[in-house]
Amino acid sequence: MQDFDLIIAGAGIVGTSAALMARMEGMSVLLCDGETPGSGTVSGSACTIATYANVPINSPSIFAALPTLLTSADSPLTFNWKYGLQNPRWMLSFLRNCRSAKVEEIAANLGRLLAKADESIDALTAESGAEDLFVQNDCLYIWSTKAGFDAARAGNEMRKKAGVTFDELTEEEVRTLEPAIQGPVHGGLQYKGARHVLDPQALTLRYHARYLALGGAWAQSSMTQVQPDATGVTVTLADGTQVRGKRCVIAAGAHSTRIRGTGAERLPLGVERGYNILYPQSSALTSRPVGWAEAGFYATPMAQGLRIAGTVEIASLYAPFNSRNTDYLHRKSKEMFAPLGAPDKPWLGYRPTMPDALPVIGFSPTSDNVILAFGHQHIGLTLGPLTGRIVADLALGKKPNIDIAAFSPKRF
Ligand SMILES: Cc1cc2nc3c(=O)[nH]c(=O)nc-3n(C[C@H](O)[C@H](O)[C@H](O)COP(=O)(O)OP(=O)(O)OC[C@H]3O[C@@H](n4cnc5c(N)ncnc54)[C@H](O)[C@@H]3O)c2cc1C
């Protein structure tokens, strides 16, 4: 049986970053995934390096806004009641984490992580020669109504407290920056210096290629079971192979709690399903990602066209594709811009979300030979490389350069 320092489940942005970071440190690493690297949720993300996005969707205003959000046909939020009733632990914990003091605490903790995200992204990008996949041209949030703009003020204060800088824009300034916007605009925020990625799967594949070039091992098979013991772990893959490692890492995004024996099975991991559509001919329509706050999506100019990505659907991982969400994105993008033709490639992905919106990064509650790294909700593309750095440090027995107590898997 082959022996590795580290065996990693999941070649998404989190697992691939961890594999490359660990390999750069000279560890012997096996990365496994039944699918092509980067083809999971990260592939259809809105492409933003959202270091400014420390405000969770948990919010005290949710109690007042929920009835409208859930019943309006024109809402970015959909909720499957049957699924909700079957998962009361996640739902109740989510609502408990909507209290003001809790939201402030969450925003501060996410802010600390996000403030360190760039240095790890830069390290992996330089290592893998992926600079060409990044565009630095700011990011814009817009609000179409005064009520929406005013309601966002509390969140903006939490951003400022976390050290996020932005300029407040008038309607005229928004339209000057992005003349293609034809829908109503009350005002906006400009995150100066923000970056976005032209193709998140290509970025993950670039990290993966560098990992292989450094001698990292790769198995295109998913992990089904982990058996930790006093000296390490025995890992079983779907093809029946058994592999021995000193430690393993569970970085399988929304699927992380389905690998048996890791201790993650006990954690309340939820899923926020999100959708995107693509207008292949319209990549030059905006010059930067534009997030329409009330409508809950970004319009991002990326390699394959203008991607309209967002919405939150609370439903089972296994529920069928719900075209209500892609119809919504198509309708709202026509409101935001002129009609853009028929959308292409409707896509569904699974944001892995803990009820307190904080990722799980640290040793499993059941074994120090298992490291858990998932739950990055709306900001996993941004936090993947930093999480990889932390995972590599933990595997090396080093203290990470950021306090990770708030992200401990043992907090539940
Ligand atoms: C519509 C939308 C827009 C988004 N926009 C942004 C954005 O602009 N910026 C941002 O930072 N984030 C964004 N996100 C969030 C981001 O995409 C996720 O947080 C991120 O993809 C999580 O990364 P991951 O590596 O944990 O999971 P994934 O990307 O889902 O990767 C998990 C991998 O694990 C594999 N896997 C599953 N089970 C197993 C198993 N048993 N064994 C081995 N491997 C397994 C899967 O095949 C997959 O390859 C967005 C998400 C959505 C849905």
Side-chain angles (χ1 to χ4, degrees):
M1 207 186 293
Q2 210 178 336
D3 212 336
F4 292 91
D5 291 326
L6 203 58
I7 305 171
I8 302 177
I13 188 67
V14 175
T16 306
S17 299
L20 180 52
M21 286 285 189
R23 190 64 208 125
M24 283 159 64
E25 294 288 348
M27 301 180 84
S28 62
V29 184
L30 171 67
L31 174 64
C32 69
D33 193 318
E35 307 296 331
T36 308
S39 63
T41 296
V42 71
S43 67
S45 69
C47 311
T48 62
I49 300 301
T51 48
Y52 46 82
N54 66 315
V55 180
I57 70 157
N58 308 62
S59 158
S61 66
I62 204 124
F63 298 104
L66 216 49
T68 320
L69 279 172
L70 294 177
T71 51
S72 164
D74 210 29
S75 159
L77 179 64
T78 44
F79 186 82
N80 181 309
W81 291 100
K82 194 169 157 217
Y83 171 77
L85 291 172
Q86 283 164 351
N87 292 278
R89 185 178 172 209
W90 191 92
M91 295 297 155
L92 292 173
S93 180
F94 174 83
L95 291 173
R96 270 200 302 279
N97 282 292
C98 286
R99 289 169 295 158
S100 312
K102 203 65 207 168
V103 174
E104 296 257 356
E105 189 185 315
I106 294 167
N109 281 316
L110 287 177
R112 283 192 305 111
L113 271 187
L114 288 164
K116 287 205 169 287
D118 275 329
E119 59 191 63
S120 295
I121 296 171
D122 291 344
L124 293 190
T125 300
E127 177 68 30
S128 58
E131 291 87 351
D132 58 304
L133 292 174
F134 286 83
V135 178
Q136 179 157 12
N137 194 22
D138 307 339
C139 172
L140 209 60
Y141 273 11
I142 61 163
W143 282 264
S144 48
T145 62
K146 179 174 184 319
F149 194 71
D150 290 345
R153 287 201 187 280
N156 293 340
E157 287 307 312
M158 286 185 247
R159 289 181 218 281
K160 277 190 199 156
K161 267 195 203 162
V164 174
T165 55
F166 51 82
D167 289 348
E168 216 170 289
L169 305 182
T170 61
E171 173 184 355
E172 200 186 344
E173 287 166 330
V174 168
R175 293 197 193 279
T176 305
L177 280 175
E178 294 296 348
I181 299 175
Q182 299 195 359
V185 175
H186 173 78
L189 292 188
Q190 183 176 11
Y191 299 103
K192 287 214 171 122
R195 297 184 281 179
H196 74 280
V197 176
L198 287 172
D199 183 339
Q201 182 172 10
L203 180 69
T204 314
L205 283 167
R206 208 69 80 79
Y207 290 175
H208 189 257
R210 181 63 188 153
Y211 163 75
L212 295 182
L214 290 177
W218 161 241
Q220 187 139 12
S221 184
S222 47
M223 189 183 285
T224 55
Q225 188 169 6
V226 176
Q227 287 166 287
D229 55 45
T231 57
V233 290
T234 302
V235 163
T236 308
L237 304 185
D239 62 10
T241 314
Q242 288 209 318
V243 200
R244 186 80 193 148
K246 290 198 180 78
R247 285 202 163 103
C248 76
V249 179
I250 306 303
H255 308 270
S256 294
T257 52
R258 289 164 201 273
I259 303 169
R260 295 191 305 279
T262 67
E265 308 94 308
R266 305 164 179 209
L267 301 182
L269 175 64
V271 57
E272 290 179 74
R273 293 157 50 115
Y275 291 77
N276 82 40
I277 53 174
L278 183 78
Y279 295 103
Q281 309 303 327
S282 303
S283 60
L285 200 66
T286 67
S287 55
R288 52 181 68 73
V290 182
W292 180 3
E294 290 104 332
F297 68 79
Y298 276 107
T300 302
M302 47 97 60
Q304 287 85 18
L306 185 73
R307 178 176 280 178
I308 309 288
T311 68
V312 168
E313 182 183 36
I314 306 293
S316 158
L317 206 49
Y318 306 109
F321 188 97
N322 183 352
S323 57
R324 179 252 176 230
N325 292 286
T326 44
D327 290 348
Y328 166 86
L329 290 174
H330 181 45
R331 201 171 60 247
K332 297 306 271 188
S333 53
K334 273 196 279 186
E335 261 178 54
M336 186 175 184
F337 307 106
L340 303 174
D344 200 4
K345 300 199 173 105
W347 175 93
L348 161 65
Y350 308 94
R351 301 180 190 93
T353 304
M354 305 307 291
D356 62 2
L358 298 175
V360 162
I361 313 172
F363 295 114
S364 158
T366 52
S367 171
D368 279 359
N369 294 334
V370 180
I371 297 169
L372 306 182
F374 54 82
H376 293 75
Q377 39 104 346
H378 294 237
I379 45 177
L381 173 64
T382 309
L383 289 178
L386 174 62
T387 305
R389 175 71 263 159
I390 297 171
V391 164
D393 285 341
L394 292 175
L396 286 163
K398 276 175 32 186
K399 198 167 174 256
N401 72 346
I402 180 167
D403 179 1
I404 57 167
F407 315 110
S408 168
K410 295 170 189 160
R411 70 186 187 270
F412 293 101

